[in-house]
Amino acid sequence: MTDESNTYILLFSCPDRPGIVAGVANFLFEHGCNILEAQQFDDTESGRFFMRVSFERVSGEETLESLSEKFLPLAEKFGLDWRLRSRARKRKVMLLVSRFDHCLADLIYRWRIGEIPMDITAIAANYPRETYAHLDLDGIPFHHLPITKETKMEQEAQLWELFQKTGSEIAVLARYMQVLSDGLSAKLLGRCINIHHSFLPGFKGARPYHQAHMRGVKLIGATAHYVTSDLDEGPIIEQDVERITHQDSAEDLVRKGRDIERRVLARALAWHLDDRVLINGRKTVVFRD
């Protein structure tokens, strides 16, 4: 088993040109590192190159800080937009939720059993804690931040302050049924994941599963995407579907939809936390595990 305290992940994108892979591989070799996993993608449409490298230090006394400093000249040479992280450091996540709590319950469960390594900094909800009395929230700071049309901007200011105060690195809208303002969306750009209750593009607005049922669809789905100021138009991270028949009621679609939402959001969050996702314009590059 690999010692995560000695394992690092390098994730980057850059303009495509010869020598990038060789340059990175040589750098790691020269600094006593061994590549454990490498994935790459050359986007011929945009002319950009994307890569994820997982490696371990096998000799020398390099630290994350010293490796990062010594990597700078190579990064500048190839114009890399990059980040380097130790696998041992868990990312800090803030969860936002409204009345529907199935995604929240699922993420907490996966966190407690160690399936999704993360530090949950806070749960922010626009419903009181009693709404979630059946969930085990022990050890997780809970913040009730009610919202109305008149107090939306004030409530969002509280959300942003909480995000910063807790040192959160990503916000997850675990069926948080409030549309973020353009201002807050901009502040959280690339750091906020939403789960949408349909296979986008699809049935927008209220009661999407009922809309789908009325149309006699044969597939339902869910979409996890990064939040942008364009409602439900952010770069898609993950999607999944399930086949439906004429025998399924609207309630059956809701039940099956909850299952899809849970697994799609969990996968998207896990990939983001494991540095497997890079934004590529309106799309994403996802190096799946």
Side-chain angles (χ1 to χ4, degrees), residues 195-260:
I195 182 67
H196 192 275
H197 42 225
S198 73
F199 189 74
L200 292 174
F203 301 99
K204 297 184 179 181
R207 297 165 67 84
Y209 293 118
H210 292 76
Q211 293 183 53
H213 179 60
M214 292 297 293
R215 291 285 299 275
V217 301
K218 303 307 179 188
L219 289 172
I220 62 171
T223 302
H225 64 91
Y226 287 113
V227 171
T228 65
S229 57
D230 294 325
L231 182 62
D232 299 326
E233 297 293 335
I236 292 172
I237 305 170
E238 173 64 338
Q239 295 180 291
D240 205 349
V241 296
E242 187 163 329
R243 188 159 293 280
I244 299 301
T245 75
H246 60 277
Q247 294 180 323
D248 288 303
S249 66
E251 288 70 27
D252 291 329
L253 269 63
V254 171
R255 172 177 54 81
K256 293 181 179 182
R258 284 196 298 259
D259 288 339
I260 307 172

Side-chain angles (χ1 to χ4, degrees), residues 8 10-11 22 27 41 57 66 68 84 100 103 116 139-141 148 181 193 199 214 237 263:
Y8 306 87
L10 172 66
L11 187 70
F27 172 85
F41 172 64
R57 179 172 51 79
S66 63
S68 297
L84 178 63
F100 300 111
C103 287
I116 300 183
I140 308 175
T148 65
S181 68
I193 295 176
F199 189 74
M214 292 297 293
I237 305 170
R263 63 180 183 254

Side-chain angles (χ1 to χ4, degrees), residues 62-126:
E62 297 285 4
T63 63
L64 177 66
E65 291 73 20
S66 63
L67 274 175
S68 297
E69 183 177 351
K70 293 177 181 178
F71 188 70
L72 275 173
L74 185 67
E76 292 175 355
K77 174 183 177 181
F78 289 107
L80 269 57
D81 180 7
W82 62 286
R83 59 180 180 264
L84 178 63
R85 180 179 66 90
S86 168
R87 273 307 276 280
R89 189 181 74 81
K90 296 180 181 179
R91 314 289 281 278
K92 296 185 177 182
V93 180
M94 185 171 81
L95 303 177
L96 283 70
V97 65
S98 293
R99 181 166 60 90
F100 300 111
D101 60 10
H102 52 284
C103 287
L104 174 67
D106 182 71
L107 292 179
I108 291 176
Y109 172 74
R110 294 177 192 267
W111 165 66
R112 290 201 185 280
I113 66 173
E115 181 179 318
I116 300 183
M118 59 180 171
D119 286 333
I120 301 179
T121 60
I123 294 173
N126 58 325

Side-chain angles (χ1 to χ4, degrees), residues 11-35:
L11 187 70
F12 68 85
S13 67
C14 62
D16 190 27
R17 56 175 283 191
I20 300 170
V21 175
V24 170
N26 287 336
F27 172 85
L28 294 176
F29 170 73
E30 291 170 358
H31 291 83
C33 299
N34 177 50
I35 295 176

